[in-house]
Amino acid sequence: MANIDVTILDVAKLAKVSPATVSQALNGKRPVSKETREQIMKAIDTLGYVPSRGASKLKSDSSQIIGCYVADITEGFASLIVRGVERALSGTQYSMLFVSGMEFDNDFSKALKFLLSYKIDGLLLCYPLPVLHELTTCLKNYHGPVISMNNEIAGIKSIIPDNVNAGRLAAQHLVENGMKFPAMICGPEDRLSSLRRFEGFFQYLSENGFALPHEHVRFGSFSFENGYNSTTDILKVFPQVDGIFCANDYIAAGAIAKLLELGKKVPQDVKVLGFDNRDFSSFWQVPISTFQQPLEQIGITAVTTLKDFIEKNETITNDTQLLQSELIVRKSTKAP
């Protein structure tokens, strides 16, 4: 049975070795003979000694704690990214100290102070909204490694999906399946993911001789309502549209609902492509072709990068690392 009152001095006395030898046997930093190690382990078992992790932190440059701040853990993307972080930490000597924005009333400075009180080895951020001035100001006072997950932050190592390339693939897929008159329904104009997907979509179309006038593009919320209403608006000015790229699956669901309401066939008359591979997309009225983002891989890559910094003293460059999303083809863009 564990006994928190037993100290390393008690173990050393029973094993007839010095406290330093006990410490060396436990942390593995210096070689200890097999016989001595067995004596120490026997003493630990007899006394029920529990090594004080807190004490070892004070004597080590590494706390073996990774701080993780998530603005909103209820958001589906964030939970998948955190799952990747947990997977990457599983079986290692590192633990995750997790805080959410809601815990601190979305006051990042308070959350950061809390994390730093534990002498974290590195900081992971999952901050999906446009970065506030407060965020970058607070981080100026933290000199450890910082990685932003799923959001590109200037001056900070960022690991994000390659939304520009996904936009290009979206255009290519729709063109290869017969689209001649494209349109796009985007998310909010202040969300980088939405802007980058539009950028890639527009790039591919321009390079391949397809027009995408401003009036054939709509910005709005990442919602069913935006997809439904924007499809109405686009068809009024552009009735011949035969392909719509939507910045997420909720928008695509709204677009499909409106098209069917108007008697249009999907994909025969109009092809609709979504993004994010939401749970409902595979069994919507017309199953939605979409993109699966590498969310868990973002968390795994972030932890791997931090571990390389801590253990191998490798430099973390303040650049953006892009991971690729996977195109999932369903009926909304390609008829059986």
Side-chain angles (χ1 to χ4, degrees):
M1 177 181 290
N3 187 343
I4 60 173
D5 294 324
V6 176
T7 69
I8 196 170
L9 297 176
D10 299 316
V11 174
K13 184 178 180 180
L14 183 60
K16 298 180 181 180
V17 297
S18 70
T21 301
V22 176
S23 179
Q24 290 161 10
L26 291 174
N27 62 35
K29 290 185 177 179
R30 291 188 180 181
V32 175
S33 70
K34 181 180 179 182
E35 183 181 11
T36 300
R37 185 182 299 279
E38 288 175 352
Q39 285 178 229
I40 292 170
M41 298 312 296
K42 184 177 179 181
I44 287 173
D45 290 340
T46 300
L47 297 173
Y49 171 66
V50 179
S52 171
R53 191 175 180 198
S56 66
K57 292 176 195 173
L58 295 175
K59 298 178 182 179
S60 171
D61 291 334
S62 173
S63 66
Q64 298 182 346
I65 297 176
I66 304 298
C68 183
Y69 174 86
V70 176
D72 183 4
I73 192 59
T74 64
E75 208 286 322
F77 294 163
S79 62
L80 288 172
I81 292 170
V82 171
R83 184 187 299 172
V85 171
E86 291 175 329
R87 282 183 57 192
L89 291 175
S90 178
T92 72
Q93 71 270 39
Y94 297 95
S95 299
M96 175 175 64
L97 179 58
F98 171 84
V99 299
S100 69
M102 295 180 67
E103 287 181 76
F104 295 87
D105 296 322
N106 294 312
D107 187 330
F108 178 74
S109 62
K110 289 182 180 179
L112 182 59
K113 286 178 182 177
F114 173 80
L115 288 168
L116 294 184
S117 71
Y118 284 82
K119 194 192 171 193
I120 56 175
D121 284 344
L123 178 62
L124 302 177
L125 296 177
C126 189
Y127 208 92
L129 300 176
V131 177
L132 302 177
H133 176 69
E134 178 196 24
L135 179 67
T136 51
T137 300
C138 292
L139 289 175
K140 287 180 181 178
N141 299 319
Y142 174 57
H143 303 293
V146 183
I147 296 179
S148 174
M149 304 181 295
N150 204 37
N151 190 22
E152 189 174 0
I153 303 178
I156 294 175
K157 175 72 175 183
S158 303
I159 302 174
I160 63 173
D162 188 347
N163 285 301
V164 173
N165 189 56
R168 293 182 62 87
L169 290 175
Q172 180 181 356
H173 173 69
L174 289 169
V175 168
E176 288 177 349
N177 282 278
M179 179 186 70
K180 292 181 173 57
F181 304 104
M184 182 171 178
I185 307 175
C186 306
E189 289 188 82
D190 63 354
R191 295 292 288 270
L192 283 175
S193 59
S194 179
L195 293 173
R196 295 288 187 263
R197 289 165 199 169
F198 168 73
E199 180 184 342
F201 190 67
F202 182 79
Q203 278 181 4
Y204 183 90
L205 293 175
S206 298
E207 292 168 4
N208 290 274
F210 292 86
L212 186 65
H214 179 72
E215 58 269 24
H216 300 171
V217 179
R218 292 290 186 277
F219 284 90
S221 62
F222 282 123
S223 66
F224 176 95
E225 290 74 19
N226 180 34
Y228 185 91
N229 295 330
S230 292
T231 299
T232 302
D233 294 339
I234 289 172
L235 287 172
K236 285 179 181 177
V237 299
F238 189 34
Q240 65 268 48
V241 62
D242 60 359
I244 304 176
F245 176 37
C246 301
N248 80 348
D249 288 343
Y250 289 109
I251 296 173
I256 290 171
K258 184 61 182 180
L259 290 167
L260 296 179
E261 182 182 301
L262 294 173
K264 301 277 188 180
K265 294 180 180 180
V266 179
Q268 292 87 340
D269 297 327
V270 184
K271 295 162 180 59
V272 179
L273 177 58
F275 213 98
D276 296 338
N277 195 28
R278 293 285 186 171
D279 291 342
F280 64 85
S281 61
S282 64
F283 54 82
W284 193 241
Q285 294 160 287
V286 179
I288 302 171
S289 293
T290 185
F291 285 86
Q292 176 68 57
Q293 296 197 69
L295 299 172
E296 284 195 40
Q297 189 59 45
I298 287 174
I300 292 170
T301 303
V303 169
T304 301
T305 304
L306 273 184
K307 284 176 61 184
D308 286 345
F309 172 84
I310 297 165
E311 298 171 359
K312 303 177 184 178
N313 201 30
E314 292 187 0
T315 302
I316 294 183
T317 54
N318 295 331
D319 60 357
T320 298
Q321 183 173 349
L322 301 174
L323 302 182
Q324 299 305 315
S325 298
E326 177 189 1
L327 175 62
I328 299 173
V329 179
R330 298 190 178 110
K331 188 178 178 181
S332 69
T333 59
K334 193 168 185 177

